[in-house]
Amino acid sequence: MSDDFSEMTAALAHEIKNPAAVALAHVNLLRLEDEKSNLDHHLNHIEQALYNICNMVKDMLSATYNGCEAYEVNLSNIIHEILETYRAAWPEISFIFEGEGFLPCYGHETSLRMIFSNLIKNAVEAVEAANNQNSVITISASYRDEFLNVLISDTGIVYSTQDKPHGNGLGLAICKNLANGIGAEISAQHSEDGCTVSVNLRTLRTLA
């Protein structure tokens, strides 16, 4: 088995885990709720999570996220869709998005969706591990020097890869690899109050 195939298989397995976790969270919520008035609501999110898995497998196997030409994408739509699903699956966490509207950047949709889904899921795991009463994840976006800078901040505890309650650190490695493919940069800053991940994305003005 080639190293490239092994890496793709590991990446695919990791990426399937995120939407599967969302679907499982909605199943658990359905079991906990006495009344079934939210049945359609949860089923819609489960359906969307499974749809994302199918598309993810298709895209990763065809390598469209790593080999096609980048284009202008409205990042706001991607983050909004991710947060809509995560808010429904983790109602005890406050998700704040500062930057809704038109946020054009340079990339391709599959890469950006995988990057931000992973980073936001990492933040979810961090605040769950912290077990605070007021868990908050904030996503803010602003343009700096013709780049789109996105900050993902959480109120979770500081932990190393070894201490992380879920996962093996593969998600961040995948994010950085995908970011490199579209000329983006990812960095993280930890503190006693949580973690802030910075994603610096190119825009068409950057390429001009």
Side-chain angles (χ1 to χ4, degrees):
M1 183 179 294
S2 68
D3 291 340
D4 288 342
F5 183 79
S6 297
E7 290 177 4
M8 184 183 71
T9 303
L12 180 59
H14 181 277
E15 290 308 307
I16 287 175
K17 182 185 71 174
N18 284 341
V22 172
L24 181 60
H26 281 286
V27 170
N28 290 333
L29 286 173
L30 280 174
R31 288 175 174 168
L32 291 173
E33 293 179 358
D34 293 331
E35 56 184 79
K36 300 303 180 182
S37 59
N38 290 327
L39 178 61
D40 287 341
H41 171 76
H42 291 302
L43 287 178
N44 286 338
H45 284 290
I46 293 171
E47 181 182 37
Q48 182 62 48
L50 296 175
Y51 178 78
N52 289 341
I53 289 175
C54 293
N55 280 343
M56 197 177 296
V57 172
K58 176 183 176 182
D59 288 341
M60 291 189 74
L61 290 178
S62 63
T64 57
Y65 67 95
N66 201 28
C68 67
E69 183 178 354
Y71 49 88
E72 189 174 65
V73 179
N74 182 7
L75 184 64
S76 179
N77 289 343
I78 294 174
I79 294 179
H80 178 74
E81 290 172 6
I82 294 172
L83 291 184
E84 182 180 7
T85 299
Y86 278 34
R87 285 185 180 117
W90 286 276
E92 70 279 8
I93 300 175
S94 295
F95 294 90
I96 301 172
F97 183 23
E98 300 172 348
E100 295 194 48
F102 183 55
L103 293 174
C105 66
Y106 181 77
H108 23 84
E109 187 171 340
T110 302
S111 293
L112 292 168
R113 189 177 299 278
M114 290 170 64
I115 288 171
F116 285 97
S117 181
N118 264 298
L119 295 178
I120 296 172
K121 184 60 165 56
N122 284 347
V124 168
E125 292 175 353
V127 298
E128 282 188 322
N131 198 26
N132 295 328
Q133 289 186 344
N134 298 315
S135 298
V136 181
I137 296 173
T138 304
I139 299 95
S140 60
S142 61
Y143 287 94
R144 300 178 183 176
D145 299 326
E146 299 184 345
F147 286 85
L148 176 58
N149 180 253
V150 183
L151 300 178
I152 302 172
S153 302
D154 65 64
T155 56
I157 59 176
V158 178
Y159 51 77
S160 65
T161 301
Q162 291 75 20
D163 297 331
K164 188 176 179 182
H166 303 285
N168 53 15
L170 183 60
L172 187 57
I174 293 173
C175 289
K176 289 185 175 181
N177 182 54
L178 292 170
N180 288 336
I182 57 175
E185 296 180 351
I186 298 176
S187 60
Q189 183 175 2
H190 298 273
S191 71
E192 294 180 355
D193 298 322
C195 175
T196 296
V197 177
S198 174
V199 184
N200 217 30
L201 299 162
R202 292 190 295 172
T203 66
L204 293 183
R205 289 180 294 175
T206 311
L207 306 176

